[in-house]
Amino acid sequence: MDTNSLVAGKGIERLENARINVTVGVLETECLEHHKRFFTVQNTKRPYIILKWAQTKDGFIAPISKDEQKPVWISNQYSQQLVHKWRSEEHAILVGTNTVVADNPKLNVRSWSGNNPVRVVLDANCRLDKNVNVFDGSVETLVLVDSRNKKQEIRQNLIFEQIDFSENIANQICEVLQKHKIQSVIIEGGSQTLQTFIDENIWDEARVFTSEVSFESGVVAPQFSANVFSEEKIKNDSLRIYRND
Ligand SMILES: NC(=O)c1ccc[n+]([C@@H]2O[C@H](COP(=O)([O-])OP(=O)(O)OC[C@H]3O[C@@H](n4cnc5c(N)ncnc54)[C@H](OP(=O)(O)O)[C@@H]3O)[C@@H](O)[C@H]2O)c1
């Protein structure tokens, strides 16, 4: 990437004209990594996209059914805390409709300190109950409804946007996020929503926890292939980070 072009070469020129010695390329790899969100927005006109999920060792992200409207935890508490740190580092967090129905998540930062990301929720057919946590108005929330549905009433901190759910939606979601000047988004499921971004090849990183538990059946984890960028153990969970190079 030509980092000079991002300031159109003018920054260096102005410094040099002011007789300041300029050295370029210092810690270039580290700087590119640190500014990856900004560069992605500049170069691709969409936010930096991180896919994240936790899967059992036999490849499921949730059991087929459960008794309560809250998540069945697959990863351990340290992995979960790390996810809250990650949430605090991104501009937005996105989930699909079934995840809201199944888990009623808050999608905020609780086990870490930092800003809550903007919540982005898919609700094509306006089937989410108005009392779910993501509609509580505590955090700015974008709700993406199908263009055949009329825009919803205005409620505190809720913004309804329309997209055409019969077409490829990942690209349209990115356009909405771009409109709201969102620089990065962590997509936390469920499987269909994650697979949508994989299939449209619109993602930058996938962060996948694999635990030691098995479900034998359930909601199948997203399917993809990519190079492993890093791998570590979080106690008994394994965390693999993939990059879409
Ligand atoms: N282990 C984990 O990391 C993790 C994380 C999150 C969720 N989960 C689990 O995942 C399960 C839900 O996953 P899921 O795959 O069933 O659902 P999901 O991805 O949460 O939501 C799917 C729904 O979102 C809408 N949608 C998503 N992609 C679409 C597309 N390309 N085109 C049109 N509509 C689209 C559709 O809504 P309509 O049906 O209204 O059209 C679809 O039914 C839950 O059991 C939850 O507990 C696990």
Side-chain angles (χ1 to χ4, degrees), residues 53-54 61-62 97-99 103 125 127 169 188 190-193 196:
W53 68 90
I61 66 158
T97 319
N98 291 350
T99 295
D103 300 343
N125 302 303
R127 64 184 171 95
I169 64 165
E188 290 203 12
S191 210
Q192 186 183 346
T193 302
T196 297

Side-chain angles (χ1 to χ4, degrees), residues 93-102 105 107 118-129 132 134-135 141-147 149 152 158-177 185-197 200:
I93 180 168
L94 183 149
V95 294
T97 319
N98 291 350
T99 295
V100 178
V101 171
L107 304 180
V118 173
R119 300 187 289 212
V120 185
V121 180
L122 306 186
D123 192 14
N125 302 303
C126 303
R127 64 184 171 95
L128 291 178
D129 189 292
V132 292
V134 290
F135 291 165
T141 303
L142 298 178
V143 188
L144 304 185
V145 300
D146 190 78
S147 40
N149 294 316
Q152 301 292 298
L158 287 189
I159 299 169
F160 290 85
E161 293 281 6
Q162 293 168 314
I163 60 172
D164 181 354
F165 274 84
S166 67
E167 299 286 338
N168 287 349
I169 64 165
N171 200 35
Q172 297 179 68
I173 293 171
C174 288
E175 284 171 12
V176 172
L177 298 182
V185 59
I186 182 162
I187 303 178
E188 290 203 12
S191 210
Q192 186 183 346
T193 302
L194 291 160
Q195 196 68 50
T196 297
F197 282 81
E200 290 186 42

Side-chain angles (χ1 to χ4, degrees), residues 234-245:
I234 314 270
K235 290 223 93 164
N236 50 346
D237 292 343
S238 109
L239 167 62
R240 284 195 192 91
I241 298 184
Y242 302 82
R243 289 277 171 100
N244 188 11
D245 298 321

Side-chain angles (χ1 to χ4, degrees), residues 39-239:
F39 289 138
T40 300
V41 173
Q42 292 297 315
N43 293 332
T44 65
K45 306 290 174 229
R46 65 157 175 82
Y48 190 81
I49 295 178
I50 299 164
L51 310 178
K52 174 256 140 186
W53 68 90
Q55 62 188 23
T56 61
K57 74 173 178 197
D58 53 354
F60 299 101
I61 66 158
I64 291 269
S65 63
K66 54 194 181 131
D67 301 331
E68 291 180 276
Q69 197 192 23
K70 58 182 192 184
V72 173
W73 295 113
I74 292 173
S75 54
N76 65 45
Q77 65 182 100
Y78 304 101
S79 302
Q80 290 165 32
Q81 187 177 27
L82 180 57
V83 171
H84 280 242
K85 175 175 182 288
W86 289 345
R87 287 179 176 182
S88 74
E89 293 166 351
E90 305 310 331
H91 199 158
I93 180 168
L94 183 149
V95 294
T97 319
N98 291 350
T99 295
V100 178
V101 171
D103 300 343
N104 194 18
K106 295 190 177 76
L107 304 180
N108 57 10
V109 177
R110 299 187 299 283
S111 313
W112 200 260
S113 62
N115 292 335
N116 291 318
V118 173
R119 300 187 289 212
V120 185
V121 180
L122 306 186
D123 192 14
N125 302 303
C126 303
R127 64 184 171 95
L128 291 178
D129 189 292
K130 67 177 180 4
N131 295 317
V132 292
N133 287 326
V134 290
F135 291 165
D136 66 7
S138 62
V139 178
E140 185 181 344
T141 303
L142 298 178
V143 188
L144 304 185
V145 300
D146 190 78
S147 40
R148 286 165 307 171
N149 294 316
K150 69 176 171 54
K151 287 212 174 190
Q152 301 292 298
E153 79 217 73
I154 296 176
R155 282 163 56 188
Q156 194 198 351
N157 263 340
L158 287 189
I159 299 169
F160 290 85
E161 293 281 6
Q162 293 168 314
I163 60 172
D164 181 354
F165 274 84
S166 67
E167 299 286 338
N168 287 349
I169 64 165
N171 200 35
Q172 297 179 68
I173 293 171
C174 288
E175 284 171 12
V176 172
L177 298 182
Q178 184 80 352
K179 175 180 153 192
H180 287 272
K181 299 192 168 26
I182 286 173
Q183 295 223 347
S184 67
V185 59
I186 182 162
I187 303 178
E188 290 203 12
S191 210
Q192 186 183 346
T193 302
L194 291 160
Q195 196 68 50
T196 297
F197 282 81
I198 292 167
D199 292 347
E200 290 186 42
N201 196 27
I202 300 181
W203 62 282
D204 299 289
E205 275 182 48
R207 301 177 181 175
V208 183
F209 294 97
T210 305
S211 79
E212 286 178 342
V213 293
S214 295
F215 282 170
E216 290 171 8
S217 64
V219 180
V220 176
Q223 306 295 305
F224 78 121
S225 78
N227 294 326
V228 177
F229 176 76
S230 68
E231 189 166 7
E232 65 181 297
K233 288 293 273 185
I234 314 270
K235 290 223 93 164
N236 50 346
D237 292 343
S238 109
L239 167 62

